[in-house]
């Protein structure tokens, strides 16, 4: 072997080692960055400002619920919920929504009471551990839109049972938390494996085994829906965003509201959940391997 061949072979071995080490580190570090992250807060102003979009002014903000029952979130797309940032309101613990799904019955009890508006949606049920965010607002354009996703540990075992966690978005007393384009409320009993299943995402380890397909603790969740109200009268309106346990104090449920989507203009069309994370690392790794092949070819000539 000539001096130049030996030199090239040595450089090739060094390049290969460095390249593989670099992409291994990049892969590992990127992998840990993917997945829902939640910061618990009971600061009503922070929660409202997180979801506030264009054309809306707000006032008289109030929050009632457990100190850790609500929060802001990031990295929702990589977890599969179809929205990247926003807020979460729960009937238990906001941080408990974070995956992986390592429990079929995650629960945090806050020992709080219910809410009359929520109880009105499900007559005959007791309502407990309510979390309520409400405020007044005015819409410049006369309309209101915002995107949301509902998830729960009550899926799939407790569909059509005496336990049916409830949430509602009460605009001037009327619930607009509906399946988009219908008058049907979004509930565990109305969106599940059997009913409106095209809008439902199964994440139940009891059905699927572990790991589950989405980096989320909830055993099931809906696609992205858009709450809307058109042609609002001029002046101030009131909105109550609320969620609670029903029938007991256990098995958490949560509703995600997309950051910046509470607006007088339609948000981007919801497209359901994002796919299970496909880290950009894989693209970079592929590019690196292509470069490595070309480099090897150079020294084989």
């Amino acid at each position: 072997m000539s001096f130049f061949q030996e030199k090239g072979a040595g450089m090739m071995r060094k390049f290969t080692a460095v390249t593989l080490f670099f992409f291994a580190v990049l892969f590992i570090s990127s992998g840990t960055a993917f997945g829902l992250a939640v910061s618990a807060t009971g600061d009503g102003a922070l929660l409202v400002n997180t979801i506030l979009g264009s054309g809306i002014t707000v006032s008289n903000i109030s929050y009632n619920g457990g100190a850790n029952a609500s929060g802001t979130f990031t990295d929702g797309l990589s977890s599969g919920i179809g929205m990247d940032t926003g807020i979460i309101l729960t009937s238990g613990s906001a941080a408990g929504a974070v995956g992986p799904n390592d429990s079929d019955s995650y629960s945090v009890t806050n020992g709080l009471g219910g809410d009359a508006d929520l109880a009105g949606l499900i007559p005959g049920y007791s309502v407990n551990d309510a979390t309520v965010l409400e405020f007044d607002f005015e819409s410049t354009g006369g309309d209101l839109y915002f995107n949301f996703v509902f998830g729960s540990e009550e899926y799939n075992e407790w569909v059509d049972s005496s336990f049916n966690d409830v949430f509602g978005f009460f605009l001037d007393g009327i619930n607009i938390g509906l399946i988009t384009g219908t008058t049907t409320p979004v509930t565990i009993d109305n969106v599940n494996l059997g009913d409106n299943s095209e809008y439902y995402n199964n994440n139940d380890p009891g059905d699927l085994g572990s790991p589950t397909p989405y980096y989320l603790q909830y055993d099931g969740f809906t696609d992205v829906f858009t709450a809307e109200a058109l042609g609002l009268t001029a002046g101030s309106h009131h909105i109550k965003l609320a969620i609670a346990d029903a029938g007991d104090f256990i098995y958490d449920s949560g509703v995600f509201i997309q950051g910046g989507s509470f607006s007088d203009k339609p948000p981007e069309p919801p497209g359901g959940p994002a796919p299970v994370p496909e880290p950009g690392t894989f693209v970079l790794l592929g590019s690196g391997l292509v470069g490595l092949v070309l480099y090897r070819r150079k020294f084989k000539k």
Side-chain angles (χ1 to χ4, degrees):
M1 181 181 293
S2 71
F3 169 81
F4 292 106
Q5 288 176 319
E6 290 179 345
K7 187 78 169 178
M11 290 177 66
M12 186 68 247
R13 286 192 295 271
K14 184 179 292 187
F15 178 85
T16 301
V18 170
T19 300
L20 293 179
F21 175 78
F22 170 77
F23 283 111
V25 171
L26 185 59
F27 181 144
I28 293 170
S29 63
S30 295
T32 60
F34 283 83
L36 184 73
V38 171
S39 297
T41 180
D43 183 337
L46 174 60
L47 294 170
V48 172
N49 286 329
T50 299
I51 63 173
L52 194 60
S54 64
I56 300 290
T57 57
V58 302
S59 60
N60 301 322
I61 299 169
S62 70
Y63 172 81
N64 291 288
N68 297 311
S70 60
T72 60
F73 72 87
T74 58
D75 295 318
L77 284 176
S78 61
S79 296
I81 63 172
M83 55 180 68
D84 204 38
T85 63
I87 68 171
I88 177 173
L89 308 176
T90 78
S91 64
S93 166
V98 175
N101 191 346
D102 55 8
S103 171
D104 207 22
S105 56
Y106 183 89
S107 299
V108 170
T109 298
N110 294 320
L112 300 176
D115 176 84
D117 288 325
L118 289 175
L121 294 179
I122 48 171
Y125 287 81
S126 63
V127 176
N128 310 295
D129 267 350
T131 296
V132 180
L133 176 66
E134 54 188 320
F135 53 94
D136 296 327
F137 73 93
E138 293 189 27
S139 168
T140 301
D143 298 326
L144 174 66
Y145 305 87
F146 59 95
N147 283 344
F148 69 95
V149 167
F150 173 69
S152 180
E153 285 290 87
E154 301 280 2
Y155 288 120
N156 293 308
E157 302 92 326
W158 304 105
V159 173
D160 295 323
S161 76
S162 58
F163 307 102
N164 186 8
D165 290 355
V166 60
F167 81 98
F169 303 140
F170 301 98
L171 173 60
D172 299 331
I174 305 300
N175 179 35
I176 60 171
L178 310 174
I179 297 175
T180 304
T182 77
T183 59
T184 304
V186 176
T187 70
I188 291 168
D189 288 351
N190 289 341
V191 184
N192 51 58
L193 285 172
D195 300 289
N196 295 298
S197 58
E198 66 271 26
Y199 302 120
Y200 178 68
N201 306 283
N202 190 12
N203 195 45
D204 192 339
D207 296 337
L208 306 173
S210 295
T212 53
Y214 303 99
Y215 196 84
L216 197 67
Q217 181 66 253
Y218 297 138
D219 290 352
F221 62 99
T222 70
D223 282 359
V224 179
F225 291 119
T226 301
E228 63 179 38
L230 308 181
L232 297 175
T233 57
S236 182
H237 296 269
H238 188 78
I239 187 84
K240 175 195 276 190
L241 312 172
I243 188 168
D245 285 322
D248 57 17
F249 284 84
I250 60 174
Y251 286 31
D252 284 5
S253 296
V255 61
F256 300 87
I257 301 175
Q258 184 174 353
S261 70
F262 196 95
S263 171
D264 67 345
K265 296 179 177 58
E268 291 295 320
V276 178
E278 280 287 335
T281 304
F282 293 126
V283 176
L284 292 174
L285 181 58
S287 300
L289 292 175
V290 170
L292 181 59
V293 170
L294 294 176
Y295 192 93
R296 290 178 64 90
R297 285 179 179 172
K298 177 179 179 181
F299 279 96
K300 282 186 175 181
K301 289 182 178 180

